[in-house]
Amino acid sequence: MLKATIYFMLYLIGLGFDEKDITLKGIEAGKKCEKCYAELYTSDWKGDIKNIEKLIGKEIKILERSDLEENLDIWINEIKDYNTALFVPGDPLVATTHIAIVDQALRKGIKVKIIHAPSIISAIASCGLQIYKFGKTATIPWSGQVENVAKTIEFNKQHGLHTLLLLDIGMSGEQGLKILLSKNIITEDTDIIVASNLGRENEKILFCKAKEIKNFPSPCVIIIPGKLHFAEKEFLELLRCGNDRKRA
Amino acid sequence: MLKATIYFMLYLIGLGFDEKDITLKGIEAGKKCEKCYAELYTSDWKGDIKNIEKLIGKEIKILERSDLEENLDIWINEIKDYNTALFVPGDPLVATTHIAIVDQALRKGIKVKIIHAPSIISAIASCGLQIYKFGKTATIPWSGQVENVAKTIEFNKQHGLHTLLLLDIGMSGEQGLKILLSKNIITEDTDIIVASNLGRENEKILFCKAKEIKNFPSPCVIIIPGKLHFAEKEFLELLRCGNDRKRA
């Protein structure tokens, strides 16, 4: 007698920055699934999940951090006999906590497919800095524990590399800078790039001195440029505070 | 008399890895434009542009490298009085050559909007390595001039960082490795990750020794892991050559 093994599929589907950043692949995968979930705690996603529900024609259950971390086993058991979609902000697995979900699913014999979407990691190319000249990335946490951030910036700077600083959930550009300034990691005259709502309708990118920024709400990133190529320098001047040849 | 300034918009629209990686934003922007172009020379895009034409209901003219590099002025003049879409593989501006297009457009008073899409830069998170532990990226060129690649790998390794190696257009994993081996940058026993067709139907990711890889066609990337966190190590073992608990 032949014994067939049936594999169910878990799709991790990227949502990008807001509800219109989902790809055709993402919509198609969502339509195939019997169970649909979303987590919106790893990033500040600006969209209405109801619109994603309309696109795939199904209800989506919102999961909390505890469902996917402390109680991951329970969730994996819940989905193991179904094709399942888990919608996540940005590009899945960039939030490193999701690796554990994939790992557990594979160990239970569930196949996993990643459906990619826009991510801050490549979208920062919008600032005009060459993506391959970025060094290690760091996150400014609400705790204000920035020893690691200081080390990363210094190390990258020493080697001419740009540093992408992600800000903790809900942290504005001003709040992030205040932490860096209070720890003397940068001065008020340090040239930085601030990008708020990258990839969204209300995107705002500015090249300026730290003291010049105001009104850069969350989600926001700060970039400390390393050694600038002349093409990078020229482009950054277009984003310079006060220059009116601004991007749309 | 009031004088109104009309700004036309140039949309750089990311196509991701193939024809189903376009986002809803990308389709919407394409529909708004009077002129539509695509360039497919900066990356090995796996799709049929005819399907993108169907989605936006318009013809798309394919541009060559010379149109957008040597003759950029001519093209900018052609589009300056229209809303224009330029479709590009991956996430726009990750191909650093496109910065010049944005720069020129802004200087001519054309507004520019970037529509993001999946990119190899974040999709490599699929390999289970933490994205913020990647150092500088390098490209293996067909010329075999790999001094910069060697330096980048050594530097990243010294500091425990992972190295993403992009391969020149059309280069297979085997061909890329052959170059690294012939220059003694790695040995046959070096542990590497190879990822072919990342984000596409025929995606293939393997963690193995350099000598074990075969049949990793273009588009392909190679990753030289730095210091591994135990979670990274555990996950990579699932992708290990010979392990049958593979990803879908």
Side-chain angles (χ1 to χ4, degrees):
Chain A
M1 195 182 78
L2 275 168
K3 210 177 133 191
T5 313
I6 297 168
Y7 287 108
F8 292 101
M9 186 77 87
L10 168 60
Y11 294 91
L12 260 72
I13 304 174
L15 288 174
F17 309 118
D18 61 34
E19 62 205 20
K20 291 188 176 170
D21 274 330
I22 191 167
T23 65
L24 297 182
K25 267 181 208 168
I27 298 170
E28 215 170 70
K31 285 182 179 168
K32 278 187 208 161
C33 292
E34 292 103 49
K35 293 206 169 210
C36 297
Y37 302 86
E39 71 78 4
L40 302 172
Y41 63 81
T42 55
S43 177
D44 208 344
W45 185 69
K46 298 287 187 192
D48 186 342
I49 205 78
K50 296 243 166 299
N51 289 318
I52 305 294
E53 288 182 332
K54 273 181 217 154
L55 286 170
I56 62 166
K58 275 165 213 171
E59 262 182 57
I60 298 172
K61 189 177 166 192
I62 310 288
L63 297 176
E64 303 299 320
R65 184 182 290 273
S66 59
D67 296 318
L68 290 174
E69 296 185 10
E70 296 101 85
N71 302 311
L72 180 57
D73 272 12
I74 300 174
W75 186 70
I76 294 279
N77 271 327
E78 205 172 299
I79 66 157
K80 74 177 187 338
D81 302 321
Y82 302 92
N83 291 309
T84 304
L86 175 59
F87 292 93
V88 307
D91 190 4
L93 302 192
V94 165
T96 53
T97 168
H98 295 151
I99 290 288
I101 301 172
V102 178
D103 191 304
Q104 283 298 309
L106 291 175
R107 287 173 204 277
K108 294 267 171 163
I110 304 165
K111 295 260 175 194
V112 179
K113 198 166 199 112
I114 311 296
I115 311 284
H116 299 284
S119 166
I120 191 71
I121 299 295
S122 63
I124 47 160
S126 280
C127 303
L129 298 183
Q130 299 180 359
I131 209 92
Y132 64 87
K133 282 173 59 191
F134 276 79
K136 205 174 169 233
T137 298
T139 299
I140 304 181
W142 276 119
S143 71
Q145 299 284 311
V146 283
E147 294 73 15
N148 175 46
V149 175
K151 253 195 260 171
T152 302
I153 295 174
E154 203 197 320
F155 175 82
N156 286 342
K157 202 129 205 167
Q158 241 173 47
H159 300 283
L161 302 171
H162 310 315
T163 309
L164 168 63
L165 298 174
L166 305 172
L167 307 190
D168 214 339
I169 308 246
M171 190 184 286
S172 70
E174 292 90 323
Q175 287 168 319
L177 281 177
K178 203 173 152 193
I179 296 174
L180 296 182
L181 287 165
S182 74
K183 305 278 177 170
N184 299 315
I185 296 174
I186 59 167
T187 73
E188 294 221 310
D189 286 312
T190 304
D191 268 327
I192 56 161
I193 298 159
V194 220
S196 178
N197 279 297
L198 214 61
R200 303 183 183 87
E201 267 307 310
N202 51 346
E203 173 179 288
K204 205 170 149 192
I205 310 176
L206 190 67
F207 177 53
C208 62
K209 299 204 175 300
K211 64 182 167 201
E212 293 170 316
I213 90 138
K214 49 185 178 196
N215 211 1
F216 274 78
S218 167
C220 188
V221 296
I222 297 171
I223 298 166
I224 314 283
K227 203 176 161 214
L228 295 172
H229 181 268
F230 80 91
E232 294 177 312
K233 215 179 240 174
E234 263 190 41
F235 190 85
L236 280 182
E237 288 305 327
L238 287 173
L239 303 173
R240 175 69 87 174
C241 190
N243 191 330
D244 60 359
R245 260 203 232 93
K246 290 264 180 52
R247 291 262 304 285
Chain B
M1 196 180 78
L2 276 170
K3 210 175 131 191
T5 313
I6 298 167
Y7 287 108
F8 292 100
M9 186 77 88
L10 167 62
Y11 294 92
L12 260 72
I13 305 173
L15 289 173
F17 309 118
D18 61 33
E19 62 205 21
K20 290 186 177 172
D21 274 330
I22 191 167
T23 65
L24 297 184
K25 267 181 209 168
I27 298 170
E28 217 168 71
K31 284 183 181 170
K32 277 186 212 163
C33 292
E34 291 104 47
K35 294 207 170 210
C36 297
Y37 302 85
E39 72 78 5
L40 303 171
Y41 62 82
T42 54
S43 178
D44 210 345
W45 186 69
K46 298 285 189 196
D48 186 341
I49 206 79
K50 296 243 168 297
N51 289 319
I52 305 294
E53 288 182 333
K54 272 181 216 153
L55 287 169
I56 60 164
K58 273 166 215 171
E59 262 182 57
I60 297 172
K61 190 176 168 195
I62 310 288
L63 297 176
E64 303 299 321
R65 185 183 288 274
S66 58
D67 296 320
L68 290 173
E69 296 186 8
E70 295 101 84
N71 302 311
L72 179 57
D73 272 12
I74 301 173
W75 186 70
I76 295 278
N77 271 327
E78 205 173 301
I79 66 157
K80 74 177 188 337
D81 301 322
Y82 302 92
N83 291 309
T84 303
L86 174 60
F87 291 94
V88 306
D91 190 3
L93 303 192
V94 165
T96 52
T97 168
H98 294 151
I99 290 287
I101 301 172
V102 178
D103 192 305
Q104 284 298 310
L106 291 176
R107 287 173 204 277
K108 294 265 173 166
I110 303 164
K111 295 261 175 193
V112 179
K113 200 168 197 110
I114 310 298
I115 311 283
H116 298 284
S119 166
I120 190 70
I121 298 295
S122 63
I124 48 160
S126 280
C127 303
L129 297 184
Q130 297 179 1
I131 210 91
Y132 65 85
K133 282 175 61 194
F134 276 79
K136 205 175 169 233
T137 299
T139 299
I140 305 182
W142 277 118
S143 70
Q145 299 284 312
V146 283
E147 294 73 17
N148 175 44
V149 175
K151 253 195 262 175
T152 302
I153 296 174
E154 204 199 319
F155 175 81
N156 285 342
K157 201 127 208 168
Q158 240 174 47
H159 300 283
L161 302 171
H162 310 315
T163 309
L164 167 63
L165 297 174
L166 304 173
L167 307 189
D168 213 339
I169 307 249
M171 190 184 286
S172 71
E174 292 89 324
Q175 287 169 319
L177 281 177
K178 206 173 149 193
I179 295 173
L180 297 181
L181 287 164
S182 73
K183 306 277 179 173
N184 299 314
I185 296 174
I186 59 167
T187 74
E188 295 221 309
D189 286 314
T190 303
D191 268 328
I192 55 161
I193 299 159
V194 221
S196 179
N197 278 298
L198 214 61
R200 302 182 183 88
E201 266 307 312
N202 52 345
E203 173 178 288
K204 208 170 147 193
I205 310 176
L206 190 67
F207 177 53
C208 62
K209 299 202 176 301
K211 64 184 169 202
E212 292 170 317
I213 89 139
K214 48 183 177 198
N215 211 359
F216 274 78
S218 165
C220 188
V221 296
I222 298 172
I223 297 165
I224 314 283
K227 204 176 160 215
L228 294 171
H229 181 269
F230 80 91
E232 294 178 312
K233 215 179 236 168
E234 263 190 39
F235 190 85
L236 280 182
E237 288 306 326
L238 288 172
L239 303 174
R240 174 70 86 175
C241 189
N243 191 329
D244 61 359
R245 259 203 232 96
K246 289 262 179 56
R247 292 262 304 285

